[in-house]
PDB file of all heavy atoms in Angstrom:
ATOM      1  N   SER A   1       0.856  -1.196  -0.061  1.00  0.00           N
ATOM      2  CA  SER A   1      -0.047   0.067   0.036  1.00  0.00           C
ATOM      3  C   SER A   1       0.954   1.301  -0.022  1.00  0.00           C
ATOM      4  O   SER A   1       2.073   1.086   0.168  1.00  0.00           O
ATOM      5  CB  SER A   1      -0.930   0.069   1.242  1.00  0.00           C
ATOM      6  OG  SER A   1      -0.198   0.101   2.437  1.00  0.00           O
ATOM      7  N   CYS A   2       0.280   2.413  -0.222  1.00  0.00           N
ATOM      8  CA  CYS A   2       1.042   3.681  -0.167  1.00  0.00           C
ATOM      9  C   CYS A   2       0.249   4.691   0.584  1.00  0.00           C
ATOM     10  O   CYS A   2      -1.042   4.636   0.669  1.00  0.00           O
ATOM     11  CB  CYS A   2       1.470   4.162  -1.466  1.00  0.00           C
ATOM     12  SG  CYS A   2       0.139   4.682  -2.600  1.00  0.00           S
ATOM     13  N   LYS A   3       0.938   5.687   1.146  1.00  0.00           N
ATOM     14  CA  LYS A   3       0.319   6.818   1.828  1.00  0.00           C
ATOM     15  C   LYS A   3       0.857   8.075   1.278  1.00  0.00           C
ATOM     16  O   LYS A   3       1.974   8.199   0.946  1.00  0.00           O
ATOM     17  CB  LYS A   3       0.550   6.700   3.326  1.00  0.00           C
ATOM     18  CG  LYS A   3      -0.059   7.867   4.111  1.00  0.00           C
ATOM     19  CD  LYS A   3       0.519   7.894   5.554  1.00  0.00           C
ATOM     20  CE  LYS A   3       0.066   6.599   6.330  1.00  0.00           C
ATOM     21  NZ  LYS A   3       0.588   6.776   7.801  1.00  0.00           N
ATOM     22  N   VAL A   4      -0.061   9.035   1.135  1.00  0.00           N
ATOM     23  CA  VAL A   4       0.325  10.420   0.645  1.00  0.00           C
ATOM     24  C   VAL A   4       0.073  11.442   1.637  1.00  0.00           C
ATOM     25  O   VAL A   4      -0.969  11.462   2.320  1.00  0.00           O
ATOM     26  CB  VAL A   4      -0.560  10.677  -0.677  1.00  0.00           C
ATOM     27  CG1 VAL A   4      -0.306  12.163  -1.061  1.00  0.00           C
ATOM     28  CG2 VAL A   4      -0.097   9.785  -1.833  1.00  0.00           C
ATOM     29  N   GLU A   5       1.069  12.372   1.808  1.00  0.00           N
ATOM     30  CA  GLU A   5       0.916  13.461   2.795  1.00  0.00           C
ATOM     31  C   GLU A   5       1.258  14.699   1.943  1.00  0.00           C
ATOM     32  O   GLU A   5       2.336  14.863   1.355  1.00  0.00           O
ATOM     33  CB  GLU A   5       1.896  13.263   3.918  1.00  0.00           C
ATOM     34  CG  GLU A   5       1.636  11.975   4.871  1.00  0.00           C
ATOM     35  CD  GLU A   5       2.641  11.807   5.974  1.00  0.00           C
ATOM     36  OE1 GLU A   5       3.555  12.618   6.013  1.00  0.00           O
ATOM     37  OE2 GLU A   5       2.400  10.922   6.704  1.00  0.00           O
ATOM     38  N   ALA A   6       0.351  15.642   2.228  1.00  0.00           N
ATOM     39  CA  ALA A   6       0.572  16.993   1.479  1.00  0.00           C
ATOM     40  C   ALA A   6       0.009  18.111   2.556  1.00  0.00           C
ATOM     41  O   ALA A   6      -1.120  18.002   2.880  1.00  0.00           O
ATOM     42  CB  ALA A   6      -0.207  17.144   0.109  1.00  0.00           C
ATOM     43  N   GLU A   7       0.947  18.948   2.825  1.00  0.00           N
ATOM     44  CA  GLU A   7       0.491  19.987   3.886  1.00  0.00           C
ATOM     45  C   GLU A   7       0.091  19.192   5.003  1.00  0.00           C
ATOM     46  O   GLU A   7       0.790  18.408   5.581  1.00  0.00           O
ATOM     47  CB  GLU A   7      -0.549  20.959   3.368  1.00  0.00           C
ATOM     48  CG  GLU A   7      -0.237  21.628   2.064  1.00  0.00           C
ATOM     49  CD  GLU A   7       0.713  22.768   2.179  1.00  0.00           C
ATOM     50  OE1 GLU A   7       1.011  23.189   3.378  1.00  0.00           O
ATOM     51  OE2 GLU A   7       1.394  23.163   1.165  1.00  0.00           O
ATOM     52  N   SER A   8      -1.080  19.485   5.586  1.00  0.00           N
ATOM     53  CA  SER A   8      -1.584  18.720   6.821  1.00  0.00           C
ATOM     54  C   SER A   8      -2.552  17.596   6.458  1.00  0.00           C
ATOM     55  O   SER A   8      -3.167  16.997   7.243  1.00  0.00           O
ATOM     56  CB  SER A   8      -2.273  19.710   7.792  1.00  0.00           C
ATOM     57  OG  SER A   8      -3.363  20.308   7.131  1.00  0.00           O
ATOM     58  N   GLN A   9      -2.699  17.312   5.056  1.00  0.00           N
ATOM     59  CA  GLN A   9      -3.706  16.318   4.651  1.00  0.00           C
ATOM     60  C   GLN A   9      -3.003  14.943   4.371  1.00  0.00           C
ATOM     61  O   GLN A   9      -1.794  14.900   3.910  1.00  0.00           O
ATOM     62  CB  GLN A   9      -4.305  16.753   3.309  1.00  0.00           C
ATOM     63  CG  GLN A   9      -5.036  18.165   3.478  1.00  0.00           C
ATOM     64  CD  GLN A   9      -6.176  18.109   4.530  1.00  0.00           C
ATOM     65  OE1 GLN A   9      -7.077  17.279   4.406  1.00  0.00           O
ATOM     66  NE2 GLN A   9      -6.112  18.942   5.363  1.00  0.00           N
ATOM     67  N   ARG A  10      -3.661  13.885   4.713  1.00  0.00           N
ATOM     68  CA  ARG A  10      -3.125  12.486   4.512  1.00  0.00           C
ATOM     69  C   ARG A  10      -4.141  11.651   3.986  1.00  0.00           C
ATOM     70  O   ARG A  10      -5.336  11.682   4.442  1.00  0.00           O
ATOM     71  CB  ARG A  10      -2.662  11.878   5.935  1.00  0.00           C
ATOM     72  CG  ARG A  10      -1.419  12.636   6.506  1.00  0.00           C
ATOM     73  CD  ARG A  10      -1.045  12.024   7.853  1.00  0.00           C
ATOM     74  NE  ARG A  10       0.178  12.695   8.423  1.00  0.00           N
ATOM     75  CZ  ARG A  10       0.072  13.767   9.051  1.00  0.00           C
ATOM     76  NH1 ARG A  10      -1.073  14.331   9.364  1.00  0.00           N
ATOM     77  NH2 ARG A  10       1.175  14.244   9.570  1.00  0.00           N
ATOM     78  N   GLU A  11      -3.762  10.688   3.220  1.00  0.00           N
ATOM     79  CA  GLU A  11      -4.746   9.801   2.582  1.00  0.00           C
ATOM     80  C   GLU A  11      -3.911   8.437   2.292  1.00  0.00           C
ATOM     81  O   GLU A  11      -2.746   8.504   1.770  1.00  0.00           O
ATOM     82  CB  GLU A  11      -5.408  10.304   1.309  1.00  0.00           C
ATOM     83  CG  GLU A  11      -6.571   9.477   0.912  1.00  0.00           C
ATOM     84  CD  GLU A  11      -7.728   9.471   1.892  1.00  0.00           C
ATOM     85  OE1 GLU A  11      -7.988  10.518   2.424  1.00  0.00           O
ATOM     86  OE2 GLU A  11      -8.382   8.434   2.004  1.00  0.00           O
ATOM     87  N   GLU A  12      -4.576   7.212   2.340  1.00  0.00           N
ATOM     88  CA  GLU A  12      -3.941   5.963   2.061  1.00  0.00           C
ATOM     89  C   GLU A  12      -4.662   5.342   0.904  1.00  0.00           C
ATOM     90  O   GLU A  12      -5.787   5.490   0.744  1.00  0.00           O
ATOM     91  CB  GLU A  12      -3.989   5.051   3.300  1.00  0.00           C
ATOM     92  CG  GLU A  12      -3.236   5.617   4.488  1.00  0.00           C
ATOM     93  CD  GLU A  12      -3.317   4.709   5.695  1.00  0.00           C
ATOM     94  OE1 GLU A  12      -3.907   3.640   5.510  1.00  0.00           O
ATOM     95  OE2 GLU A  12      -2.899   4.988   6.764  1.00  0.00           O
ATOM     96  N   SER A  13      -3.884   4.539   0.190  1.00  0.00           N
ATOM     97  CA  SER A  13      -4.464   3.703  -0.843  1.00  0.00           C
ATOM     98  C   SER A  13      -5.085   2.429  -0.286  1.00  0.00           C
ATOM     99  O   SER A  13      -4.802   2.122   0.813  1.00  0.00           O
ATOM    100  CB  SER A  13      -3.408   3.363  -1.946  1.00  0.00           C
ATOM    101  OG  SER A  13      -2.440   2.359  -1.357  1.00  0.00           O
ATOM    102  N   ALA A  14      -5.790   1.709  -1.069  1.00  0.00           N
ATOM    103  CA  ALA A  14      -6.172   0.272  -0.613  1.00  0.00           C
ATOM    104  C   ALA A  14      -4.941  -0.630  -0.744  1.00  0.00           C
ATOM    105  O   ALA A  14      -4.018  -0.270  -1.478  1.00  0.00           O
ATOM    106  CB  ALA A  14      -7.340  -0.235  -1.554  1.00  0.00           C
ATOM    107  N   SER A  15      -4.963  -1.796   0.036  1.00  0.00           N
ATOM    108  CA  SER A  15      -3.948  -2.656   0.047  1.00  0.00           C
ATOM    109  C   SER A  15      -4.095  -3.572  -1.304  1.00  0.00           C
ATOM    110  O   SER A  15      -5.223  -3.941  -1.719  1.00  0.00           O
ATOM    111  CB  SER A  15      -4.041  -3.617   1.248  1.00  0.00           C
ATOM    112  OG  SER A  15      -3.607  -2.832   2.377  1.00  0.00           O
ATOM    113  N   THR A  16      -2.894  -3.877  -1.903  1.00  0.00           N
ATOM    114  CA  THR A  16      -2.952  -4.715  -3.058  1.00  0.00           C
ATOM    115  C   THR A  16      -2.033  -5.866  -2.785  1.00  0.00           C
ATOM    116  O   THR A  16      -0.893  -5.733  -2.354  1.00  0.00           O
ATOM    117  CB  THR A  16      -2.255  -3.944  -4.317  1.00  0.00           C
ATOM    118  OG1 THR A  16      -3.240  -2.808  -4.582  1.00  0.00           O
ATOM    119  CG2 THR A  16      -2.232  -4.788  -5.527  1.00  0.00           C
ATOM    120  N   PHE A  17      -2.500  -7.127  -3.145  1.00  0.00           N
ATOM    121  CA  PHE A  17      -1.701  -8.254  -2.873  1.00  0.00           C
ATOM    122  C   PHE A  17      -0.959  -8.744  -4.207  1.00  0.00           C
ATOM    123  O   PHE A  17      -1.556  -8.833  -5.245  1.00  0.00           O
ATOM    124  CB  PHE A  17      -2.604  -9.464  -2.417  1.00  0.00           C
ATOM    125  CG  PHE A  17      -1.795 -10.672  -1.871  1.00  0.00           C
ATOM    126  CD1 PHE A  17      -1.459 -10.677  -0.545  1.00  0.00           C
ATOM    127  CD2 PHE A  17      -1.380 -11.677  -2.689  1.00  0.00           C
ATOM    128  CE1 PHE A  17      -0.720 -11.746  -0.069  1.00  0.00           C
ATOM    129  CE2 PHE A  17      -0.686 -12.761  -2.160  1.00  0.00           C
ATOM    130  CZ  PHE A  17      -0.365 -12.753  -0.860  1.00  0.00           C
ATOM    131  N   ILE A  18       0.378  -8.956  -4.001  1.00  0.00           N
ATOM    132  CA  ILE A  18       1.258  -9.368  -5.144  1.00  0.00           C
ATOM    133  C   ILE A  18       1.787 -10.775  -4.758  1.00  0.00           C
ATOM    134  O   ILE A  18       2.262 -10.993  -3.682  1.00  0.00           O
ATOM    135  CB  ILE A  18       2.412  -8.339  -5.297  1.00  0.00           C
ATOM    136  CG1 ILE A  18       1.828  -6.961  -5.685  1.00  0.00           C
ATOM    137  CG2 ILE A  18       3.387  -8.860  -6.351  1.00  0.00           C
ATOM    138  CD1 ILE A  18       2.960  -5.859  -5.690  1.00  0.00           C
ATOM    139  N   THR A  19       1.708 -11.650  -5.787  1.00  0.00           N
ATOM    140  CA  THR A  19       2.231 -12.958  -5.695  1.00  0.00           C
ATOM    141  C   THR A  19       3.468 -13.196  -6.550  1.00  0.00           C
ATOM    142  O   THR A  19       3.366 -12.826  -7.731  1.00  0.00           O
ATOM    143  CB  THR A  19       1.125 -13.971  -5.939  1.00  0.00           C
ATOM    144  OG1 THR A  19       0.029 -13.892  -5.074  1.00  0.00           O
ATOM    145  CG2 THR A  19       1.690 -15.418  -5.796  1.00  0.00           C
ATOM    146  N   VAL A  20       4.575 -13.589  -5.922  1.00  0.00           N
ATOM    147  CA  VAL A  20       5.705 -13.930  -6.732  1.00  0.00           C
ATOM    148  C   VAL A  20       5.965 -15.413  -6.602  1.00  0.00           C
ATOM    149  O   VAL A  20       6.118 -16.049  -5.443  1.00  0.00           O
ATOM    150  CB  VAL A  20       6.944 -13.200  -6.145  1.00  0.00           C
ATOM    151  CG1 VAL A  20       8.230 -13.560  -7.053  1.00  0.00           C
ATOM    152  CG2 VAL A  20       6.804 -11.706  -6.159  1.00  0.00           C
ATOM    153  N   THR A  21       5.991 -16.091  -7.718  1.00  0.00           N
ATOM    154  CA  THR A  21       6.103 -17.600  -7.746  1.00  0.00           C
ATOM    155  C   THR A  21       7.573 -17.987  -7.574  1.00  0.00           C
ATOM    156  O   THR A  21       8.499 -17.153  -7.993  1.00  0.00           O
ATOM    157  CB  THR A  21       5.541 -18.219  -9.016  1.00  0.00           C
ATOM    158  OG1 THR A  21       6.305 -17.611 -10.095  1.00  0.00           O
ATOM    159  CG2 THR A  21       4.028 -17.855  -9.187  1.00  0.00           C
ATOM    160  N   GLY A  22       7.878 -19.202  -7.180  1.00  0.00           N
ATOM    161  CA  GLY A  22       9.274 -19.669  -7.039  1.00  0.00           C
ATOM    162  C   GLY A  22       9.466 -20.341  -5.661  1.00  0.00           C
ATOM    163  O   GLY A  22       8.548 -20.486  -4.794  1.00  0.00           O
ATOM    164  N   ASN A  23      10.677 -20.787  -5.363  1.00  0.00           N
ATOM    165  CA  ASN A  23      10.972 -21.440  -4.191  1.00  0.00           C
ATOM    166  C   ASN A  23      11.896 -20.527  -3.280  1.00  0.00           C
ATOM    167  O   ASN A  23      12.668 -19.746  -3.714  1.00  0.00           O
ATOM    168  CB  ASN A  23      11.784 -22.782  -4.420  1.00  0.00           C
ATOM    169  CG  ASN A  23      10.950 -23.739  -5.196  1.00  0.00           C
ATOM    170  OD1 ASN A  23       9.803 -24.013  -4.939  1.00  0.00           O
ATOM    171  ND2 ASN A  23      11.606 -24.429  -6.168  1.00  0.00           N
ATOM    172  N   LEU A  24      11.581 -20.545  -2.010  1.00  0.00           N
ATOM    173  CA  LEU A  24      12.340 -19.797  -0.987  1.00  0.00           C
ATOM    174  C   LEU A  24      13.739 -20.339  -0.906  1.00  0.00           C
ATOM    175  O   LEU A  24      13.930 -21.615  -1.007  1.00  0.00           O
ATOM    176  CB  LEU A  24      11.667 -19.885   0.358  1.00  0.00           C
ATOM    177  CG  LEU A  24      10.310 -19.190   0.481  1.00  0.00           C
ATOM    178  CD1 LEU A  24       9.711 -19.476   1.858  1.00  0.00           C
ATOM    179  CD2 LEU A  24      10.405 -17.669   0.270  1.00  0.00           C
ATOM    180  N   GLN A  25      14.733 -19.551  -0.767  1.00  0.00           N
ATOM    181  CA  GLN A  25      16.070 -19.962  -0.518  1.00  0.00           C
ATOM    182  C   GLN A  25      16.217 -20.666   0.766  1.00  0.00           C
ATOM    183  O   GLN A  25      15.548 -20.372   1.797  1.00  0.00           O
ATOM    184  CB  GLN A  25      17.019 -18.788  -0.620  1.00  0.00           C
ATOM    185  CG  GLN A  25      17.283 -18.225  -1.982  1.00  0.00           C
ATOM    186  CD  GLN A  25      18.406 -17.240  -1.965  1.00  0.00           C
ATOM    187  OE1 GLN A  25      19.195 -16.944  -1.021  1.00  0.00           O
ATOM    188  NE2 GLN A  25      18.693 -16.610  -3.182  1.00  0.00           N
ATOM    189  N   THR A  26      17.065 -21.653   0.786  1.00  0.00           N
ATOM    190  CA  THR A  26      17.324 -22.503   2.064  1.00  0.00           C
ATOM    191  C   THR A  26      18.134 -21.593   3.040  1.00  0.00           C
ATOM    192  O   THR A  26      19.125 -21.000   2.648  1.00  0.00           O
ATOM    193  CB  THR A  26      18.152 -23.695   1.732  1.00  0.00           C
ATOM    194  OG1 THR A  26      17.395 -24.486   0.770  1.00  0.00           O
ATOM    195  CG2 THR A  26      18.412 -24.558   2.967  1.00  0.00           C
ATOM    196  N   PRO A  27      17.647 -21.423   4.280  1.00  0.00           N
ATOM    197  CA  PRO A  27      18.385 -20.670   5.271  1.00  0.00           C
ATOM    198  C   PRO A  27      19.761 -21.314   5.673  1.00  0.00           C
ATOM    199  O   PRO A  27      19.980 -22.450   5.429  1.00  0.00           O
ATOM    200  CB  PRO A  27      17.503 -20.567   6.415  1.00  0.00           C
ATOM    201  CG  PRO A  27      16.646 -21.807   6.363  1.00  0.00           C
ATOM    202  CD  PRO A  27      16.505 -22.038   4.862  1.00  0.00           C
ATOM    203  N   VAL A  28      20.540 -20.407   6.371  1.00  0.00           N
ATOM    204  CA  VAL A  28      21.790 -20.911   6.807  1.00  0.00           C
ATOM    205  C   VAL A  28      21.680 -21.028   8.381  1.00  0.00           C
ATOM    206  O   VAL A  28      21.282 -20.049   8.994  1.00  0.00           O
ATOM    207  CB  VAL A  28      23.008 -20.018   6.551  1.00  0.00           C
ATOM    208  CG1 VAL A  28      24.318 -20.391   7.267  1.00  0.00           C
ATOM    209  CG2 VAL A  28      23.147 -19.902   5.043  1.00  0.00           C
ATOM    210  N   PHE A  29      22.064 -22.158   8.910  1.00  0.00           N
ATOM    211  CA  PHE A  29      21.910 -22.434  10.341  1.00  0.00           C
ATOM    212  C   PHE A  29      23.290 -22.647  10.964  1.00  0.00           C
ATOM    213  O   PHE A  29      24.143 -23.399  10.525  1.00  0.00           O
ATOM    214  CB  PHE A  29      21.031 -23.638  10.609  1.00  0.00           C
ATOM    215  CG  PHE A  29      20.810 -23.968  12.012  1.00  0.00           C
ATOM    216  CD1 PHE A  29      20.007 -23.282  12.898  1.00  0.00           C
ATOM    217  CD2 PHE A  29      21.523 -25.083  12.643  1.00  0.00           C
ATOM    218  CE1 PHE A  29      19.801 -23.606  14.178  1.00  0.00           C
ATOM    219  CE2 PHE A  29      21.344 -25.430  13.912  1.00  0.00           C
ATOM    220  CZ  PHE A  29      20.487 -24.661  14.744  1.00  0.00           C
ATOM    221  N   THR A  30      23.425 -22.032  12.165  1.00  0.00           N
ATOM    222  CA  THR A  30      24.731 -22.126  12.887  1.00  0.00           C
ATOM    223  C   THR A  30      24.450 -22.288  14.431  1.00  0.00           C
ATOM    224  O   THR A  30      23.413 -21.859  14.849  1.00  0.00           O
ATOM    225  CB  THR A  30      25.747 -21.049  12.679  1.00  0.00           C
ATOM    226  OG1 THR A  30      25.055 -19.718  13.021  1.00  0.00           O
ATOM    227  CG2 THR A  30      26.104 -20.798  11.256  1.00  0.00           C
ATOM    228  N   ILE A  31      25.373 -22.832  15.050  1.00  0.00           N
ATOM    229  CA  ILE A  31      25.452 -22.976  16.603  1.00  0.00           C
ATOM    230  C   ILE A  31      26.625 -22.355  17.161  1.00  0.00           C
ATOM    231  O   ILE A  31      27.778 -22.643  16.672  1.00  0.00           O
ATOM    232  CB  ILE A  31      25.255 -24.409  17.054  1.00  0.00           C
ATOM    233  CG1 ILE A  31      23.962 -25.051  16.526  1.00  0.00           C
ATOM    234  CG2 ILE A  31      25.264 -24.448  18.551  1.00  0.00           C
ATOM    235  CD1 ILE A  31      23.789 -26.555  16.878  1.00  0.00           C
ATOM    236  N   HIS A  32      26.472 -21.450  18.148  1.00  0.00           N
ATOM    237  CA  HIS A  32      27.683 -20.809  18.671  1.00  0.00           C
ATOM    238  C   HIS A  32      27.570 -20.695  20.232  1.00  0.00           C
ATOM    239  O   HIS A  32      26.559 -20.121  20.678  1.00  0.00           O
ATOM    240  CB  HIS A  32      27.941 -19.431  18.137  1.00  0.00           C
ATOM    241  CG  HIS A  32      29.188 -18.824  18.632  1.00  0.00           C
ATOM    242  ND1 HIS A  32      30.483 -19.126  18.283  1.00  0.00           N
ATOM    243  CD2 HIS A  32      29.303 -17.881  19.546  1.00  0.00           C
ATOM    244  CE1 HIS A  32      31.342 -18.473  18.849  1.00  0.00           C
ATOM    245  NE2 HIS A  32      30.691 -17.601  19.607  1.00  0.00           N
ATOM    246  N   PRO A  33      28.414 -21.361  21.021  1.00  0.00           N
ATOM    247  CA  PRO A  33      29.444 -22.200  20.541  1.00  0.00           C
ATOM    248  C   PRO A  33      28.909 -23.638  20.200  1.00  0.00           C
ATOM    249  O   PRO A  33      27.905 -24.013  20.754  1.00  0.00           O
ATOM    250  CB  PRO A  33      30.436 -22.302  21.756  1.00  0.00           C
ATOM    251  CG  PRO A  33      29.499 -22.033  22.892  1.00  0.00           C
ATOM    252  CD  PRO A  33      28.463 -21.153  22.486  1.00  0.00           C
ATOM    253  N   MET A  34      29.657 -24.329  19.364  1.00  0.00           N
ATOM    254  CA  MET A  34      29.234 -25.684  18.952  1.00  0.00           C
ATOM    255  C   MET A  34      29.634 -26.684  20.010  1.00  0.00           C
ATOM    256  O   MET A  34      29.022 -27.812  20.193  1.00  0.00           O
ATOM    257  CB  MET A  34      29.860 -26.092  17.611  1.00  0.00           C
ATOM    258  CG  MET A  34      29.249 -25.356  16.473  1.00  0.00           C
ATOM    259  SD  MET A  34      29.944 -25.933  14.885  1.00  0.00           S
ATOM    260  CE  MET A  34      29.426 -27.581  14.794  1.00  0.00           C
ATOM    261  N   GLU A  35      30.665 -26.509  20.738  1.00  0.00           N
ATOM    262  CA  GLU A  35      31.003 -27.295  21.930  1.00  0.00           C
ATOM    263  C   GLU A  35      30.691 -26.648  23.195  1.00  0.00           C
ATOM    264  O   GLU A  35      31.124 -25.432  23.455  1.00  0.00           O
ATOM    265  CB  GLU A  35      32.618 -27.559  21.845  1.00  0.00           C
ATOM    266  CG  GLU A  35      33.104 -28.368  20.664  1.00  0.00           C
ATOM    267  CD  GLU A  35      34.527 -28.682  20.666  1.00  0.00           C
ATOM    268  OE1 GLU A  35      35.220 -28.211  21.678  1.00  0.00           O
ATOM    269  OE2 GLU A  35      35.005 -29.442  19.831  1.00  0.00           O
ATOM    270  N   VAL A  36      29.858 -27.292  23.979  1.00  0.00           N
ATOM    271  CA  VAL A  36      29.241 -26.566  25.159  1.00  0.00           C
ATOM    272  C   VAL A  36      29.303 -27.588  26.246  1.00  0.00           C
ATOM    273  O   VAL A  36      29.203 -28.843  26.057  1.00  0.00           O
ATOM    274  CB  VAL A  36      27.853 -26.170  24.920  1.00  0.00           C
ATOM    275  CG1 VAL A  36      26.917 -27.196  24.582  1.00  0.00           C
ATOM    276  CG2 VAL A  36      27.257 -25.353  26.043  1.00  0.00           C
ATOM    277  N   ILE A  37      29.521 -27.060  27.513  1.00  0.00           N
ATOM    278  CA  ILE A  37      29.592 -27.880  28.752  1.00  0.00           C
ATOM    279  C   ILE A  37      28.078 -28.102  29.133  1.00  0.00           C
ATOM    280  O   ILE A  37      27.285 -27.230  29.213  1.00  0.00           O
ATOM    281  CB  ILE A  37      30.333 -27.290  29.795  1.00  0.00           C
ATOM    282  CG1 ILE A  37      31.751 -26.962  29.316  1.00  0.00           C
ATOM    283  CG2 ILE A  37      30.377 -28.060  31.049  1.00  0.00           C
ATOM    284  CD1 ILE A  37      32.550 -26.114  30.238  1.00  0.00           C
ATOM    285  N   LEU A  38      27.802 -29.352  29.560  1.00  0.00           N
ATOM    286  CA  LEU A  38      26.493 -29.699  30.106  1.00  0.00           C
ATOM    287  C   LEU A  38      26.187 -28.744  31.316  1.00  0.00           C
ATOM    288  O   LEU A  38      27.001 -28.526  32.167  1.00  0.00           O
ATOM    289  CB  LEU A  38      26.580 -31.091  30.628  1.00  0.00           C
ATOM    290  CG  LEU A  38      25.199 -31.801  30.939  1.00  0.00           C
ATOM    291  CD1 LEU A  38      24.368 -31.954  29.731  1.00  0.00           C
ATOM    292  CD2 LEU A  38      25.453 -33.147  31.629  1.00  0.00           C
ATOM    293  N   GLY A  39      25.008 -28.040  31.173  1.00  0.00           N
ATOM    294  CA  GLY A  39      24.602 -27.144  32.178  1.00  0.00           C
ATOM    295  C   GLY A  39      24.763 -25.729  31.680  1.00  0.00           C
ATOM    296  O   GLY A  39      24.171 -24.780  32.310  1.00  0.00           O
ATOM    297  N   ASP A  40      25.597 -25.434  30.618  1.00  0.00           N
ATOM    298  CA  ASP A  40      25.696 -24.170  30.084  1.00  0.00           C
ATOM    299  C   ASP A  40      24.671 -23.789  29.026  1.00  0.00           C
ATOM    300  O   ASP A  40      23.824 -24.703  28.750  1.00  0.00           O
ATOM    301  CB  ASP A  40      27.135 -23.909  29.568  1.00  0.00           C
ATOM    302  CG  ASP A  40      28.157 -23.648  30.587  1.00  0.00           C
ATOM    303  OD1 ASP A  40      27.708 -23.345  31.775  1.00  0.00           O
ATOM    304  OD2 ASP A  40      29.363 -23.610  30.255  1.00  0.00           O
ATOM    305  N   SER A  41      24.841 -22.749  28.360  1.00  0.00           N
ATOM    306  CA  SER A  41      23.782 -22.357  27.295  1.00  0.00           C
ATOM    307  C   SER A  41      24.697 -22.198  25.966  1.00  0.00           C
ATOM    308  O   SER A  41      25.796 -21.854  25.991  1.00  0.00           O
ATOM    309  CB  SER A  41      23.047 -21.012  27.592  1.00  0.00           C
ATOM    310  OG  SER A  41      22.171 -21.248  28.772  1.00  0.00           O
TER     311      SER A  41
END
């Protein structure tokens, strides 16, 4: 959506839905630290 402001006047557009086809990229996962003592975080 978009909003317009002029002087003290404001007005918004209606919301428009856009669809983009395709596959999401695979995320990157890490653990820090990878070596941890039992009882720690």
Side-chain angles (χ1 to χ4, degrees):
S1 63
C2 68
K3 180 190 291 185
V4 170
E5 297 179 355
E7 304 289 343
S8 60
Q9 303 298 305
R10 294 179 179 84
E11 192 67 39
E12 298 178 8
S13 71
S15 293
T16 299
F17 192 87
I18 297 175
T19 300
V20 181
T21 61
N23 297 319
L24 295 173
Q25 287 192 3
T26 303
V28 176
F29 179 74
T30 56
I31 300 176
H32 183 76
M34 288 183 63
E35 293 185 357
V36 62
I37 302 169
L38 192 67
D40 280 351
S41 294

